[in-house]
Coordinates of all heavy atoms in Angstrom, one line a residue:
A16 N -22.2 10.1 1.4 CA -21.5 10.8 0.3 C -20.5 9.9 -0.4 O -19.7 9.2 0.3 CB -20.7 12.1 0.9
N17 N -20.5 9.9 -1.7 CA -19.5 9.2 -2.5 C -18.8 10.1 -3.4 O -17.9 9.7 -4.2 CB -20.1 8.0 -3.2 CG -21.3 8.3 -4.1 OD1 -21.1 8.8 -5.1 ND2 -22.5 7.9 -3.6
L18 N -19.2 11.4 -3.4 CA -18.5 12.5 -4.1 C -18.2 13.5 -3.0 O -19.1 14.1 -2.4 CB -19.3 13.1 -5.2 CG -18.5 14.1 -6.1 CD1 -19.3 14.3 -7.4 CD2 -18.2 15.5 -5.5
L19 N -16.9 13.7 -2.7 CA -16.5 14.6 -1.5 C -15.8 15.8 -2.0 O -14.8 15.7 -2.8 CB -15.6 13.8 -0.6 CG -15.4 14.3 0.8 CD1 -16.7 14.3 1.6 CD2 -14.4 13.4 1.6
I20 N -16.3 17.0 -1.6 CA -15.7 18.3 -2.0 C -14.9 18.7 -0.8 O -15.4 18.8 0.3 CB -16.7 19.3 -2.3 CG1 -17.6 18.8 -3.5 CG2 -16.0 20.6 -2.7 CD1 -18.9 19.6 -3.6
L21 N -13.6 19.1 -0.9 CA -12.8 19.6 0.2 C -12.3 21.0 -0.2 O -11.6 21.1 -1.2 CB -11.6 18.7 0.5 CG -12.0 17.3 1.1 CD1 -11.8 16.2 0.0 CD2 -11.2 17.0 2.3
D22 N -12.6 22.0 0.6 CA -12.3 23.4 0.3 C -11.0 23.7 1.1 O -11.1 23.8 2.3 CB -13.4 24.3 0.7 CG -13.2 25.7 0.3 OD1 -12.2 26.0 -0.3 OD2 -14.1 26.6 0.5
E23 N -9.9 23.9 0.4 CA -8.6 24.3 1.0 C -8.3 23.4 2.2 O -8.1 23.9 3.3 CB -8.6 25.7 1.4 CG -8.8 26.7 0.3 CD -7.6 26.9 -0.7 OE1 -6.6 26.2 -0.5 OE2 -7.7 27.7 -1.6
P24 N -8.3 22.0 2.0 CA -8.3 21.2 3.2 C -7.0 21.2 4.0 O -7.0 20.9 5.2 CB -8.4 19.8 2.6 CG -7.9 19.9 1.2 CD -8.3 21.3 0.8
T25 N -5.9 21.7 3.4 CA -4.6 21.7 4.2 C -4.2 23.1 4.6 O -3.1 23.3 5.1 CB -3.5 21.2 3.3 OG1 -3.3 22.0 2.2 CG2 -3.7 19.7 2.9
A26 N -5.1 24.1 4.5 CA -4.8 25.5 4.8 C -4.4 25.7 6.2 O -3.6 26.5 6.6 CB -6.0 26.4 4.4
V27 N -5.0 24.9 7.1 CA -4.8 25.0 8.6 C -4.1 23.8 9.2 O -4.1 23.7 10.4 CB -6.1 25.4 9.4 CG1 -6.6 26.7 9.0 CG2 -7.1 24.3 9.1
L28 N -3.5 23.0 8.3 CA -2.9 21.7 8.8 C -1.3 21.9 8.9 O -0.8 22.6 8.1 CB -3.2 20.5 7.9 CG -4.7 20.2 7.8 CD1 -4.8 18.9 7.0 CD2 -5.4 20.0 9.1
T29 N -0.7 21.1 9.8 CA 0.7 21.1 9.8 C 1.2 20.2 8.6 O 0.4 19.5 8.0 CB 1.2 20.4 11.1 OG1 0.8 19.0 11.1 CG2 0.7 21.1 12.3
P30 N 2.5 20.3 8.2 CA 3.0 19.5 7.1 C 2.7 18.0 7.3 O 2.3 17.3 6.4 CB 4.5 19.8 7.1 CG 4.6 21.1 7.7 CD 3.5 21.2 8.7
Q31 N 2.9 17.5 8.6 CA 2.6 16.1 8.9 C 1.1 15.7 8.7 O 0.8 14.7 8.1 CB 3.0 15.8 10.3 CG 4.5 15.9 10.6 CD 4.9 17.3 11.0 OE1 4.2 18.3 10.7 NE2 6.0 17.4 11.7
E32 N 0.2 16.6 9.2 CA -1.2 16.3 9.0 C -1.6 16.4 7.5 O -2.4 15.6 7.1 CB -2.0 17.4 9.8 CG -2.0 17.2 11.3 CD -2.6 18.3 12.1 OE1 -2.6 19.5 11.6 OE2 -3.1 18.1 13.2
S33 N -0.9 17.3 6.7 CA -1.2 17.4 5.3 C -0.9 16.1 4.6 O -1.6 15.6 3.8 CB -0.4 18.5 4.7 OG -0.9 19.8 5.2
N34 N 0.3 15.5 5.0 CA 0.7 14.2 4.4 C -0.2 13.1 4.7 O -0.6 12.3 3.9 CB 2.2 13.9 4.8 CG 3.2 14.8 4.3 OD1 3.0 15.5 3.3 ND2 4.3 15.0 5.0
E35 N -0.7 13.1 6.0 CA -1.7 12.1 6.4 C -3.0 12.2 5.6 O -3.6 11.2 5.2 CB -2.0 12.2 7.9 CG -0.9 11.7 8.8 CD -1.1 12.1 10.2 OE1 -2.3 12.4 10.6 OE2 -0.2 12.0 11.0
L36 N -3.4 13.5 5.3 CA -4.7 13.7 4.6 C -4.5 13.2 3.1 O -5.4 12.6 2.6 CB -5.0 15.2 4.6 CG -6.3 15.5 3.9 CD1 -7.5 15.0 4.6 CD2 -6.4 17.0 3.7
I37 N -3.3 13.5 2.5 CA -3.1 13.0 1.1 C -3.2 11.5 1.0 O -3.9 11.0 0.1 CB -1.7 13.5 0.7 CG1 -1.8 15.1 0.4 CG2 -1.3 12.8 -0.6 CD1 -0.4 15.7 0.2
L38 N -2.6 10.8 2.0 CA -2.7 9.3 2.0 C -4.2 8.9 2.1 O -4.6 7.9 1.5 CB -1.8 8.7 3.1 CG -0.3 8.9 2.9 CD1 0.4 8.4 4.2 CD2 0.2 8.1 1.7
L39 N -4.9 9.5 3.0 CA -6.3 9.2 3.3 C -7.1 9.4 2.0 O -7.9 8.5 1.7 CB -6.8 10.1 4.4 CG -8.4 10.1 4.6 CD1 -8.9 8.8 5.0 CD2 -8.7 11.2 5.6
L40 N -7.0 10.5 1.3 CA -7.8 10.8 0.1 C -7.4 9.8 -1.0 O -8.3 9.4 -1.7 CB -7.5 12.3 -0.3 CG -8.0 13.4 0.7 CD1 -7.8 14.7 0.1 CD2 -9.5 13.2 1.0
K41 N -6.1 9.5 -1.1 CA -5.8 8.5 -2.1 C -6.5 7.1 -1.8 O -7.0 6.5 -2.7 CB -4.2 8.3 -2.1 CG -3.5 9.3 -2.8 CD -2.0 9.1 -2.9 CE -1.3 10.1 -3.7 NZ 0.2 9.9 -3.7
N42 N -6.5 6.8 -0.5 CA -7.2 5.5 -0.1 C -8.7 5.6 -0.5 O -9.3 4.6 -1.0 CB -7.0 5.3 1.4 CG -7.7 4.1 1.9 OD1 -7.8 3.1 1.2 ND2 -8.1 4.1 3.2
M43 N -9.3 6.8 -0.2 CA -10.7 6.9 -0.5 C -11.0 6.8 -2.0 O -12.0 6.2 -2.4 CB -11.2 8.3 0.0 CG -11.3 8.3 1.5 SD -11.8 9.9 2.2 CE -13.4 10.0 1.6
S44 N -10.1 7.4 -2.8 CA -10.4 7.4 -4.3 C -10.1 6.0 -4.8 O -10.8 5.5 -5.7 CB -9.5 8.4 -5.0 OG -8.1 8.0 -5.0
N45 N -9.2 5.2 -4.2 CA -8.9 3.8 -4.6 C -10.2 3.0 -4.4 O -10.3 1.9 -5.0 CB -7.7 3.3 -3.9 CG -6.4 3.9 -4.4 OD1 -6.4 4.4 -5.5 ND2 -5.4 3.8 -3.6
Q46 N -11.0 3.4 -3.4 CA -12.2 2.6 -3.1 C -13.4 3.1 -3.8 O -14.6 2.8 -3.5 CB -12.4 2.7 -1.6 CG -11.3 2.0 -0.8 CD -11.7 1.8 0.7 OE1 -12.8 1.4 1.0 NE2 -10.8 2.0 1.6
G47 N -13.2 3.9 -4.9 CA -14.3 4.3 -5.8 C -14.9 5.6 -5.5 O -15.9 6.0 -6.2
N48 N -14.5 6.4 -4.5 CA -15.1 7.7 -4.2 C -14.5 8.7 -5.1 O -13.3 8.7 -5.4 CB -14.8 8.1 -2.7 CG -15.6 7.2 -1.8 OD1 -16.8 7.3 -1.6 ND2 -14.8 6.2 -1.2
S49 N -15.3 9.7 -5.5 CA -14.8 10.8 -6.3 C -14.5 11.9 -5.4 O -15.2 12.2 -4.4 CB -15.9 11.3 -7.3 OG -16.3 10.2 -8.1
I50 N -13.4 12.7 -5.7 CA -13.0 13.8 -4.8 C -12.7 15.0 -5.7 O -12.1 14.9 -6.7 CB -11.7 13.4 -4.0 CG1 -12.1 12.2 -3.0 CG2 -11.2 14.6 -3.2 CD1 -10.9 11.5 -2.4

């Protein structure tokens, strides 16, 4: 996959896990993946 769909990805995450996910998704988009 180079186009990733995430459905309510932080609905069940803690605030700390949500921040980690945001950094991860930014890293993925910087490498050319569409989100």
Side-chain angles (χ1 to χ4, degrees):
N17 54 75
L18 189 164
L19 199 59
I20 305 162
L21 293 107
D22 187 359
E23 302 286 2
T25 62
V27 291
L28 301 187
T29 65
Q31 293 88 337
E32 287 171 331
S33 296
N34 292 336
E35 287 171 13
L36 180 69
I37 287 169
L38 292 173
L39 166 66
L40 295 181
K41 280 183 174 175
N42 180 29
M43 289 175 67
S44 70
N45 289 339
Q46 296 192 42
N48 292 284
S49 307
I50 294 166

